[in-house]
Amino acid sequence: MVSKSQPSLPLDQIIHGDCVDVLRTFPDKSVDLIFADPPYNLQLRQDLWRPNMTRVNGVDDSWDRFESLQAYDEFSRHWLEACRRVLKDTGTIWVIGTYHNIYRIGAIMQDMGFWFLNDVVWIKTNPMPNFRGVRFTNAHEILIWASKFKGARYTFNHHAMKALNGGKQMRSDWVIPICSGRERLRVDGVKAHSTQKPEALLYRVILAASNPGDVVLDPFFGSGTTGAVAKRLHRHWIGIEREERYIEIARARLARVTPEPFREEVFDVRDRKRLAPRVAFPRLLEVGYLRPGQVLYFRGDRGDPASIKPDGSLRLKDGFEGSIHQAGRHLMGGSPCNGWQHWFFRE
């Protein structure tokens, strides 16, 4: 396992306790990625029964009960503040929820300064039906993906996500089955955790938003899905959980995870082209490949012309001046532009 982390962090451990209290012991800006699966505050007030009169084993745990929406908001604000402090400026946070809580959490996050990058819809192929027939079947959950502030630099392994999606850019609707079968942890035939998430969901989150050796924090660790996937992908992980019965289950689960030996060329999925050494455009003038005053053409030899200034910036016909990227973005109406790919010259 590679390591880039501060030694004071309890790496690859499950910490027993309330996440707000535990996170107070963590250094500022020490975590690369946070995945949070907080209580949803489902507000269930009665048992649910199937048509055959068998009881639905839903989420009726004490940890999911709050006196009021205001109490839930206060709880959410406290743990989000604690997470924000330990998150690196280059890190991101993912929060999952349903219509019961995700919009309230989202508003709190925006008030704190988090900048939303995406909301991802997890579409369940096998959701639990609405047995009473009074609402639509709730067949999805929502994940908010956010950076710490607007304009922050963050990890996104775009090419890895394309590879997972057959070479096409991955969309924000993810069709993944709920946790079932052999993956579903059980104790004496009963679900070990009522809201266990499928590993396929965490695989995408962790692969997309972190790199080998990064620290992945889960402040509501539960049955340990985040840790299991992070361990397989050679990320450090930290789990915080206040229910001792879940800690025992998660520890046993993680003990069974044996990742393949780490090899950087295998487990690092960052775009190699972006990591390669780069040549500054003005350097081409210094060594004589291009000349001051020479004309470049945008998107081909008949495109918009631009004159190269001695400092390597371009001047367009309308008077705009900037780098090869800025000039291209100007001509494209503000859309992102890699100038190296769009400017041409005549021999």
Side-chain angles (χ1 to χ4, degrees), residues 128-177:
M128 182 183 297
N130 185 277
F131 294 106
R132 297 176 63 195
V134 295
R135 301 182 184 180
F136 297 110
T137 295
N138 186 28
H140 73 278
E141 295 187 26
I142 299 172
L143 298 94
I144 294 174
W145 180 35
S147 59
K148 196 168 180 179
F149 49 84
K150 182 179 179 180
R153 297 179 65 87
Y154 57 89
T155 296
F156 178 45
N157 291 315
H158 169 68
H159 290 277
M161 293 298 100
K162 286 183 66 176
L164 279 183
N165 196 40
K168 297 180 180 179
Q169 188 174 56
M170 184 170 286
R171 295 162 34 134
S172 60
D173 51 342
W174 295 355
V175 182
I176 298 173

Side-chain angles (χ1 to χ4, degrees), residues 40-221:
Y40 287 4
N41 191 26
L42 296 179
Q43 306 152 55
L44 297 179
R45 295 293 180 263
Q46 59 186 11
D47 291 340
L48 296 177
W49 299 84
R50 299 182 179 87
N52 64 1
M53 297 308 294
T54 57
R55 183 176 177 274
V56 176
N57 185 18
V59 183
D60 55 2
D61 306 86
S62 59
W63 47 257
D64 194 58
R65 297 174 184 170
F66 294 83
E67 295 180 358
S68 64
L69 293 176
Q70 291 70 32
Y72 185 78
D73 289 352
E74 183 178 4
F75 161 79
S76 300
R77 192 171 293 107
H78 287 328
W79 71 259
L80 281 165
E81 287 174 345
C83 285
R84 181 176 173 80
R85 184 186 65 80
V86 302
L87 184 65
K88 292 180 181 178
D89 289 347
T90 54
T92 56
I93 181 172
W94 294 71
V95 184
I96 188 170
T98 62
Y99 68 88
H100 302 88
N101 70 327
I102 199 65
Y103 301 108
R104 305 186 75 87
I105 288 178
I108 294 170
M109 292 178 68
Q110 289 183 315
D111 288 343
M112 286 183 181
F114 285 107
W115 184 255
F116 287 4
L117 302 170
N118 275 114
D119 63 335
V120 173
V121 181
W122 167 30
I123 301 173
K124 306 173 183 179
T125 60
N126 50 346
M128 182 183 297
N130 185 277
F131 294 106
R132 297 176 63 195
V134 295
R135 301 182 184 180
F136 297 110
T137 295
N138 186 28
H140 73 278
E141 295 187 26
I142 299 172
L143 298 94
I144 294 174
W145 180 35
S147 59
K148 196 168 180 179
F149 49 84
K150 182 179 179 180
R153 297 179 65 87
Y154 57 89
T155 296
F156 178 45
N157 291 315
H158 169 68
H159 290 277
M161 293 298 100
K162 286 183 66 176
L164 279 183
N165 196 40
K168 297 180 180 179
Q169 188 174 56
M170 184 170 286
R171 295 162 34 134
S172 60
D173 51 342
W174 295 355
V175 182
I176 298 173
I178 63 173
C179 191
S180 60
R182 294 179 60 184
E183 185 181 353
R184 170 65 76 169
L185 301 178
R186 299 181 184 275
V187 177
D188 297 328
V190 179
K191 292 179 183 178
H193 195 289
S194 54
T195 63
Q196 181 182 340
K197 296 300 183 291
E199 291 193 6
L201 184 70
L202 270 298
Y203 192 92
R204 291 190 183 185
V205 169
I206 294 173
L207 190 66
S210 69
N211 294 307
D214 283 353
V215 178
V216 181
L217 167 69
D218 187 333
F220 306 97
F221 201 58

